[in-house]
Amino acid sequence: MKIYKDVFEKIISPENLFSAWDNFKVGKIKKKDVQAFESKLEQNIFQLHRELRGRSYRHGSYASFYIRDPKQRHIHKAEVRDRILHHAVFSILNPIFEATFISHSFSCRIGKGTHKGVIALEKMIRKETQNYSRRCFILKCDVRKFFDTVDHGILMRILKKRIKDENALCLLREIISSFSSEHSDIFTVRGLPIGNLTSQLFANIFLNELDQFVKNKMRLKFYARYTDDFVIVGKDERELKNMLSEIRSFLKDRLSLELHPKKIVIRKYSQGIDYLGYIVLPHYQLLRTKTKKRVFKKLKMRIGQYRAGEISEKSLNQSLQSYLGVFSHADTHELEQELLNQFWFWLNE
């Protein structure tokens, strides 16, 4: 296993911090807090650098709010300078851990995403059924309250396997310990804030332990994961149930996590499986009804923002193409036409 000893200096270098600012500000430049930081950009970046180098940096507080996408999520938004640091950390740590991730881990990775995850599931089903000539079953699971229950101590132990730079580890501990959920107690601090870029990376690093167990210890061929949702394709229902017991034990004993009991599903492939916003069926995919409703709602909201002068025509058209892209991955020709018709109607009403 390759280890890394010079991480801290790379993270805190002014060059990396300014690069982090460039990445962070994309799409946010009209925000008042971002504009305030930019008004004294060099002064703020070098102040952050001095605090990091002098080990006096302390992560700030979070602003808390809820969004519905489609289910309600509790978002915690860090201050601008902390979010810039998150980008700086991500730019150095992500290449270190990216090489360790399995190919069928699809969340928050370049060249991956929900569409690639759905395609991968369809390919796994096709291989297991030998082009739909024999039956197979799909096990779908969800880790219960994953972001709220990530154990800080376990996460730090995983990071220490590869990071042997004490200053970098102290900085990572400062970021991780800046947030704790209601699932913490006097013995164990838990939780990653939904909203931090670093949380996405830490989630992949944490659940890579499960990926490696499933692929290398259990030797399962047809497995894919997107954040805390994962699927396994197998030829026998009983075999999948036995696998479930082994996975449940690993999550509890090694990662202090548990599966959501109401989100464990085993289905015949011919029945279709609901995964990442699509219903995967033999030979084709359908868009889930909730996904369709969410796309139409978001497009109407973007048109409202365009009319109010909050976004440009280019940004609006990019949103439209993005939503059409969602439809293009399923058998949705009529839905595409419906979306375009609604787009022009809302735009001109």
Side-chain angles (χ1 to χ4, degrees):
M1 178 187 296
K2 187 174 181 179
I3 61 174
Y4 296 82
K5 298 180 178 180
D6 57 348
V7 176
F8 183 70
E9 291 298 328
K10 291 180 179 179
I11 291 173
I12 72 165
S13 72
E15 294 81 5
N16 190 46
L17 293 175
F18 277 107
S19 177
W21 158 257
D22 289 336
N23 292 326
F24 162 76
K25 72 179 181 179
V26 176
K28 307 181 186 73
I29 207 62
K30 292 186 177 181
K31 303 288 186 181
K32 290 183 178 179
D33 55 350
V34 177
Q35 291 177 344
F37 191 93
E38 187 180 35
S39 67
K40 298 180 179 179
L41 180 60
E42 290 192 4
Q43 179 180 333
N44 286 329
I45 291 291
F46 282 111
Q47 176 63 28
L48 176 59
H49 170 71
R50 284 191 294 271
E51 289 182 24
L52 290 166
R53 179 169 289 286
R55 317 297 188 270
S56 62
Y57 167 82
R58 295 296 177 267
H59 197 287
S61 59
Y62 290 89
S64 173
F65 56 94
Y66 289 89
I67 63 169
R68 187 170 290 277
D69 188 33
K71 65 181 181 181
Q72 183 170 276
R73 297 183 186 276
H74 195 184
I75 305 299
H76 291 83
K77 180 182 175 182
E79 297 172 6
V80 169
R81 72 174 203 144
D82 296 321
R83 286 186 281 161
I84 292 169
L85 177 60
H86 298 164
H87 276 265
V89 169
F90 184 90
S91 69
I92 303 303
L93 255 60
N94 190 57
I96 292 173
F97 288 95
E98 172 68 27
T100 71
F101 298 154
I102 65 170
S103 62
H104 278 187
S105 166
F106 290 98
S107 176
C108 304
R109 297 175 65 196
I110 294 174
K112 303 293 183 178
T114 55
H115 300 147
K116 294 290 180 68
V118 171
I119 291 169
L121 174 57
E122 193 276 331
K123 286 182 178 178
M124 292 190 295
I125 292 171
R126 190 156 17 98
K127 287 180 180 179
E128 184 59 74
T129 59
Q130 295 183 352
N131 285 324
Y132 311 113
S133 64
R134 66 184 189 186
R135 72 175 188 171
C136 81
F137 294 83
I138 300 100
L139 166 65
K140 181 188 170 200
C141 299
D142 182 298
V143 178
R144 186 174 192 173
K145 295 185 179 297
F146 170 69
F147 281 96
D148 282 342
T149 59
V150 169
D151 184 313
H152 290 190
I154 295 174
L155 175 57
M156 285 303 303
R157 286 197 292 273
I158 294 171
L159 291 169
K160 286 178 181 179
K161 291 179 185 178
R162 288 187 173 273
I163 307 300
K164 302 298 183 183
D165 180 332
E166 192 56 41
N167 288 327
L169 290 170
C170 286
L171 177 58
L172 295 177
R173 189 178 296 110
E174 174 66 25
I175 294 172
I176 293 168
S177 65
S178 68
F179 176 83
S180 62
S181 75
E182 60 185 12
H183 294 270
S184 301
D185 55 39
I186 59 173
F187 302 106
T188 306
V189 184
R190 297 177 182 273
L192 294 175
I194 300 175
N196 281 9
L197 177 63
T198 48
S199 295
Q200 299 173 8
L201 174 60
F202 292 150
N204 272 336
I205 292 171
F206 202 83
L207 286 175
N208 185 52
E209 300 292 301
L210 171 64
D211 299 342
Q212 298 300 329
F213 174 75
V214 168
K215 298 296 289 184
N216 298 321
K217 299 295 184 181
M218 297 181 69
R219 301 285 184 180
L220 298 188
K221 188 176 181 181
F222 299 128
Y223 163 88
R225 180 180 60 79
Y226 187 95
T227 313
D228 54 353
D229 294 329
F230 63 89
V231 288
I232 299 172
V233 179
K235 64 183 68 155
D236 184 82
E237 184 176 9
R238 184 180 300 176
E239 187 179 67
L240 287 175
K241 288 181 178 178
N242 291 336
M243 292 174 187
L244 185 60
S245 176
E246 196 170 351
I247 290 170
R248 200 183 257 124
S249 295
F250 176 84
L251 287 171
K252 180 181 178 182
D253 298 340
R254 296 285 295 278
L255 299 179
S256 192
L257 297 173
E258 62 180 62
L259 296 177
H260 197 302
K262 294 182 180 180
K263 295 184 179 181
I264 297 171
V265 177
I266 298 180
R267 293 175 67 86
K268 293 179 182 177
Y269 86 94
S270 56
Q271 295 175 299
I273 187 75
D274 184 342
Y275 189 57
L276 302 181
Y278 297 84
I279 309 297
V280 181
L281 289 149
H283 304 290
Y284 66 102
Q285 292 87 43
L286 296 176
L287 196 68
R288 190 168 62 180
T289 301
K290 287 183 179 179
T291 306
K292 172 194 167 183
K293 289 180 178 179
R294 187 164 76 251
V295 166
F296 276 76
K297 182 179 178 180
K298 283 189 172 183
L299 181 59
K300 190 172 184 178
M301 180 189 73
R302 295 294 279 174
I303 289 173
Q305 291 174 329
Y306 170 68
R307 284 178 161 179
E310 297 173 7
I311 62 172
S312 65
E313 182 179 355
K314 180 181 179 181
S315 179
L316 177 62
N317 285 324
Q318 286 174 338
S319 295
L320 174 62
Q321 294 307 314
S322 175
Y323 300 142
L324 288 172
V326 171
F327 286 2
S328 72
H329 293 275
D331 294 84
T332 55
H333 176 71
E334 292 182 1
L335 268 180
E336 290 178 29
Q337 294 305 309
E338 183 182 348
L339 184 72
L340 287 169
N341 290 338
Q342 283 294 134
F343 174 78
W344 292 114
F345 174 77
W346 287 329
L347 194 60
N348 295 296
E349 66 176 349

